[in-house]
Each structure stands twice: as C-alpha cells, then as structure tokens.
Amino acid sequence: MSRLRPRDDEGNIMIALLGIIVITSIVLVGLAQMLISERVTRHDRNFEQALSAAETGLAKLLTQVKATPYRTSLASVSGTDSRSSATWTASASGGSGHWVLTASGTATGSATRVTRTITQSVDVADLLSHPLFATTQLTLGGGSADSVDTYDSSVDSSVCATTGLALPTGMTASGTRMCTHASPALGRIGTNGPLTLPHDSLANLAGADIYAAGTPGYPDPLDTGSCAGDSTTCASAQVVTHPDPLGFPLSSQCASGVGAGAAAYDGSLALAANAVYNFTDVTLNATAIANLANISGSTLVICFSGELDIVPTVPINSVVTDPLTLRTAPRPPSTLVLISTSSSTGTPTIKLNAGLALPSKVSAVIYAPNATCSATAHVDLYGAMVCGKVTASSGIDVHYDVQVGKLPFDQPVTVSAWREK
C-alpha cells in the first residue's frame, strides 16, 4: 500500500527551486563582478603602464636635451618597455635652450588600449646672457663713457671710434665701438643688488635689469635689488625690475684644471693652448696669452682662487689685422676664459687696470660671481663679465660678442611644468 505524499511537498519543491535560482543569481552576479573587477584591474594596470612608458620616453629625450641644449632641433625617439611591452614615443619642439617635450605611452596588455600623453618644459639658464652682471652691487660712473654694444666675432671683429669710423690703431684705442654691430646693436646690464648708473649712460645701453627687487607692496628682507643714486635713471623705462634673483653658481670647468709649476701666475711660464689651468693669483699680461694668436681656434681657461690683475699697457688677447699700421682687433672672447673659484663673497678681487690709472683693453669672458671687480681707469672689455661687485667710476665699454652666449658654460637646466594632456 503506497504512502500518500503530503499535500505541502509541492510547496517545498517551489521553495527549493526558488533557492536554487537565488543562489545561481548570486553566483552569476558575483562572477560578473569578478569579471568586471578583472577588467578594471587590467585597465588600471594598462593605465599605469602607459604612464610609465610615457615617462620613459620623456626621460630618454630629456637626457638628449641636457647633453645638447642649444641644438636647433631634436629627432623624435620611440621604443618598447621590455617588461610590460608598452610602447612610447617622444618628440621635442622649440630649440636653442628652450624646449617643450611631449611623450606618449601606450599599453595594450588587454582588450582595453590605454594611451597617456605628458609634456614638460626644459629651459637652460644662460649665465652669460648679460654682457655685464653684478650679483651684489653694480656701480658705474662714466656717464657717456659707459656703453654696451654687440657684435658677432664669426662675422666681423673690427673696431671703430664712437663715430663709427674705422680706427687706424683698432683695439689699442680707448672708448671704442664695434664697426659691425649684431642685432640688437646695444646690450643690457644687470644686477641682483643696488644699481648706480648715471642717466647719461642710458643712451648707450639697451637697458638695465634689476633682479631680486621683490613684489611691490610685499617687502621682504631677502629683496636686495634696487635702483640708487640717479633719480632720472630710476624713473626710466629702460630700467626694468624683476622680483626674483638670478643665480650664478661656481663653474665646474676648473675641476679639470692643472697647475703649471707655480701657485701664482705672472706670464713668465708658457701656457699650452686648449687647456684649463688652476692658480691662486694671476697677473694677466700679453705674455700670458701670446701664443694663442698663432694657433687657430685655440682656447685657454685660467682659473684663480685669489686676485686677478689685468695689465693695462697692451691689449690682451688681440690680433694684428694690418701689419703696416699695426691695426688690432680682439680675438673671439671665448678663446680666453677667466674663472674665479672662490666661494667667499667679496674675498677675491679683480683689478681691471691692475690698480693703475691707465685704460685697459681685454678680450675675454670673465666669470667671477663672488669677486669684487674694480676699475681705476676706463676699460674696454670685448666679451662678457659676471662679478659679485662691480665698480667702474671712470666708465666701462662692454663689447658683447653674441657667440659668448652660445658657450656651453655650466648652463643650469630647469625642468618644469610637468602635466598630462
């Protein structure tokens, strides 16, 4: 005799089926969530790998820019990350010390392709962009005897009178102008400290820059730049203030320097061309660099930790352009680089006339950001000069060779403005 099925078994089956459906739904939802999470994870991994690849491309190109910042163009680069198989490309726009780098990284490790693009600015601070710069104080007193004009030694280095007429003696004359000017014809002076400049000087300058002047209305004890002395000069539109200072680190070129058998140098020893020398005190006379004029393209770097005396009796680093009249012209200033290695502000001294009341004429690049540079008589400098404190009461004419600004002279590279497009 068969047992009778309870009347509520049908209800239990329905409940069981409903439970199975619920559990299956939960499993399916969980599985879908796992699949979504896995996809998101792969996307996130691609997202990070794409950025890493873009950074790799940016770093590759940045290395090239730092090595040759003054190139006019750079070829694009590309590659593949061996670990993630992400690819990257990088290109550079701009040139001549001011670049914008753009890099893209693409990761294809999943069905979701991810590309990220980043940019960065690279700028080279030109330490020799000002023909005359003083890091602590600039005092000129020559009035119309102060000037900054420009020329290009690769084009013409002939020397004229202030009227523009060629001088029969050339560089041996005092208070000269270049016969052929570069563009612009006049240059600027600058300082991080007080500027004292007769207003008569402004006619012979493109202008003056005062750095570390701070922001008007927000005084700061670290603001050292100011205009002093001549109210007409200070009110001139040619005098421009900048809130932040310019930095001038010690040069690294002297690290490879050698001695020449003496701690101090007075020109009695012959110095080899295309070499870097280290001394304490240096007396710079015609003998010191006499051999350079006979060696085409030669360069001499003289580093000193103490005093530099520039003897005013003859033009320094000149070349005879007319044997009949003994007309002279400056050799390219980049052929003679004078560098102070002293880190003590005001301790080293540079006497542009060797303390004598005689005018000096020298073609050189003088880089002494901590030195006190003084002139007891008029100076004609063909090249550029950076000193701590500059005093030239009898006037200084700086004839700036635009080729100096192209020297790879310890140029600090600033990397900024990283952003993702």
Side-chain angles (χ1 to χ4, degrees), residues 52-62 77 88-91 101-104:
S52 178
E55 291 277 17
T56 299
L58 198 67
K60 295 281 187 182
L61 201 57
L62 180 60
V77 295
W88 51 264
T89 60
S91 61
L101 310 185
T102 302
S104 294

Side-chain angles (χ1 to χ4, degrees), residues 11-398:
N12 291 337
I13 292 174
M14 295 299 295
I15 293 173
L17 289 174
L18 181 60
I20 293 172
I21 293 172
V22 170
I23 293 173
T24 303
S25 299
I26 293 174
V27 171
L28 291 175
V29 169
L31 181 60
Q33 186 63 41
M34 289 176 59
L35 293 174
I36 293 173
S37 296
E38 176 63 22
R39 185 170 183 176
V40 170
T41 299
R42 291 198 299 268
H43 179 273
D44 289 345
R45 183 177 64 246
N46 283 358
F47 193 74
E48 293 300 326
Q49 289 177 349
L51 179 60
S52 178
E55 291 277 17
T56 299
L58 198 67
K60 295 281 187 182
L61 201 57
L62 180 60
T63 300
Q64 293 189 31
V65 171
K66 286 184 175 181
T68 54
Y70 287 102
R71 292 178 60 176
T72 56
S73 63
L74 281 172
S76 300
V77 295
S78 61
T80 302
D81 190 320
S82 59
R83 295 171 299 177
S84 64
S85 298
T87 59
W88 51 264
T89 60
S91 61
S93 60
S96 301
H98 302 283
W99 300 87
V100 176
L101 310 185
T102 302
S104 294
T106 300
T108 56
S110 68
T112 305
R113 177 188 178 95
V114 177
T115 298
R116 299 179 71 177
T117 301
I118 56 178
T119 65
Q120 196 163 46
S121 296
V122 182
D123 296 286
V124 180
D126 190 350
L127 298 180
L128 302 175
S129 60
H130 280 84
L132 175 62
F133 196 93
T135 60
T136 60
Q137 181 178 325
L138 177 57
T139 303
L140 302 184
S144 58
D146 297 318
S147 73
V148 177
D149 62 348
T150 65
Y151 73 106
D152 188 337
S153 61
S154 67
V155 176
D156 183 30
S157 296
S158 57
V159 177
C160 285
T162 56
T163 59
L165 297 177
L167 287 167
T169 57
M171 187 181 169
T172 58
S174 182
T176 60
R177 297 290 186 273
M178 303 311 294
C179 297
T180 303
H181 287 122
S183 180
L186 299 180
R188 304 182 69 85
I189 62 175
T191 182
N192 286 337
L195 170 70
T196 301
L197 179 71
H199 65 268
D200 293 346
S201 303
L202 292 174
N204 301 317
L205 305 172
D209 294 301
I210 301 175
Y211 293 87
T215 303
Y218 298 90
D220 189 315
L222 297 179
D223 296 338
T224 55
S226 64
C227 189
D230 195 313
S231 59
T232 303
T233 296
C234 296
S236 172
Q238 288 180 259
V239 178
V240 181
T241 59
H242 307 267
D244 300 317
L246 290 187
F248 292 87
L250 290 177
S251 174
S252 62
Q253 295 192 40
C254 298
S256 59
V258 298
Y265 181 66
D266 60 3
S268 58
L269 300 172
L271 299 182
N274 301 315
V276 179
Y277 290 94
N278 277 320
F279 298 104
T280 51
D281 299 329
V282 172
T283 299
L284 192 63
N285 49 34
T287 306
I289 43 82
N291 294 331
L292 295 182
N294 302 317
I295 306 175
S296 177
S298 59
T299 297
L300 181 63
V301 178
I302 299 178
C303 302
F304 56 96
S305 59
E307 182 173 297
L308 169 65
D309 285 344
I310 297 178
V311 176
T313 53
V314 292
I316 305 297
N317 202 22
S318 63
V319 61
V320 176
T321 58
D322 186 345
L324 295 178
T325 62
L326 295 180
R327 190 168 190 264
T328 56
R331 294 185 73 237
S334 57
T335 61
L336 179 59
V337 182
L338 308 170
I339 301 174
S340 172
T341 59
S342 177
S343 59
S344 301
T345 301
T347 299
T349 58
I350 296 178
K351 296 180 180 178
L352 298 172
N353 311 92
L356 303 175
L358 297 172
S360 292
K361 307 97 181 176
V362 57
S363 177
V365 173
I366 301 175
Y367 187 78
N370 297 317
T372 295
C373 300
S374 61
T376 50
H378 190 272
V379 176
D380 275 280
L381 173 68
Y382 300 83
M385 184 169 71
V386 175
C387 292
K389 179 181 178 181
V390 175
T391 303
S393 58
S394 298
I396 182 170
D397 291 316
V398 181

